[in-house]
Amino acid sequence: MTYCVGLLLDEGLVMLGDTRTNAGFDNISCFSKLQKFHVPGERLMATLTAGNLAISQAVINLIQDGLPDPESGQVETIYTVPTMFRAAALVSEAVRRVYRTYGEAMKQQDVSFDVSIMLGGQIAGRTLRLFHIYAAGNFIEATADTPYLQIGEHKYGKPMLDRAITRETSLEEGVKLALISMDSTLRSNLSVGMPLDLLVYRNDSIDGIVEQRMDEDDKYFTSIRQQWAKALSEAHRQIPPPDWL
């Protein structure tokens, strides 16, 4: 299983994902679900993926190799699309292409066509945007009302984000909240696991990127986990008991 979260903030973008792809007791494999596509001074895009690893890798390869634009017929890649909307459409077409190629064979083997992709980024001079592409090849976009998206095992980390995230949240606070959301998921679902991959991008900077891999011994993430557990414990003790007991 997987948990990935993306925050679209006024100050920039936060994308965080785990790396566990198989939660079997004797076969736990780690693959980075975070991929970056960067042309210095011109564009920064990143994807997070959940679901079948083979499908995800096929889609990521296709958007780099290129697919023909349905209107012009000209081959486009993630490095040449003119807008973020076209980038989301390119990923969507890649998902549909992979389904046309492998979907029937997978069905015959009783394997579901399971993939979700988060795409965020900015092209110089345009708006920072964040999308969620589904297995059917359709997609939605994060908005001011819902400035975050999740893929994978999302239910455990959602309550924190619902209560705390707004577009005005700072990048620094966004990173903390994303990590707390991840910690809640790690504690409740063993199929999500370390290490974690984090990308932080500052709006309108194109090259203002921070990347971090956090393993079990990462001091900052350990501090987040300890302080959040302590804060929750103290908070519930401060709530007065019901007067009907």
Side-chain angles (χ1 to χ4, degrees), residues 140-154:
I140 63 170
E141 183 175 5
T143 67
D145 292 326
T146 308
Y148 72 88
L149 295 174
Q150 300 168 287
I151 57 176
E153 186 58 86
H154 62 272

Side-chain angles (χ1 to χ4, degrees), residues 111-183:
V111 178
S112 63
F113 190 85
D114 177 25
V115 66
S116 295
I117 300 174
M118 197 182 304
L119 169 71
Q122 185 174 34
I123 295 173
R126 293 184 172 270
T127 303
L128 177 67
R129 301 173 79 173
L130 178 67
F131 298 90
H132 177 182
I133 295 95
Y134 296 94
N138 56 332
F139 58 87
I140 63 170
E141 183 175 5
T143 67
D145 292 326
T146 308
Y148 72 88
L149 295 174
Q150 300 168 287
I151 57 176
E153 186 58 86
H154 62 272
K155 58 183 177 288
Y156 302 108
K158 190 174 189 296
M160 160 54 57
L161 302 177
D162 282 339
R163 288 183 171 90
I165 289 290
T166 69
R167 284 294 293 266
E168 292 76 29
T169 301
S170 69
L171 272 180
E172 291 79 8
E173 291 300 310
V175 168
K176 287 194 288 185
L177 290 167
L179 290 172
I180 291 171
S181 176
M182 179 63 75
D183 176 54

Side-chain angles (χ1 to χ4, degrees), residues 179-197:
L179 290 172
I180 291 171
S181 176
M182 179 63 75
D183 176 54
S184 299
T185 306
L186 288 168
R187 287 178 178 273
S188 300
N189 192 315
L190 293 177
S191 68
V192 178
M194 306 285 283
L196 310 176
D197 286 326

Side-chain angles (χ1 to χ4, degrees), residues 53-68:
L53 181 62
I55 298 172
S56 300
Q57 290 185 339
V59 170
I60 296 303
N61 277 288
L62 274 175
I63 64 175
Q64 294 179 89
D65 290 345
L67 291 168

Side-chain angles (χ1 to χ4, degrees), residues 207-239:
D207 303 326
I209 310 159
V210 175
E211 294 179 88
Q212 185 77 15
R213 171 160 281 201
M214 301 179 177
D215 58 23
E216 294 282 359
D217 299 322
D218 185 88
K219 292 182 179 180
Y220 183 70
F221 188 59
T222 299
S223 173
I224 284 275
R225 306 187 82 167
Q226 293 172 346
Q227 291 186 55
W228 181 242
K230 181 180 179 181
L232 283 176
S233 180
E234 291 176 351
H236 85 76
R237 284 198 296 267
Q238 291 175 10
I239 298 173

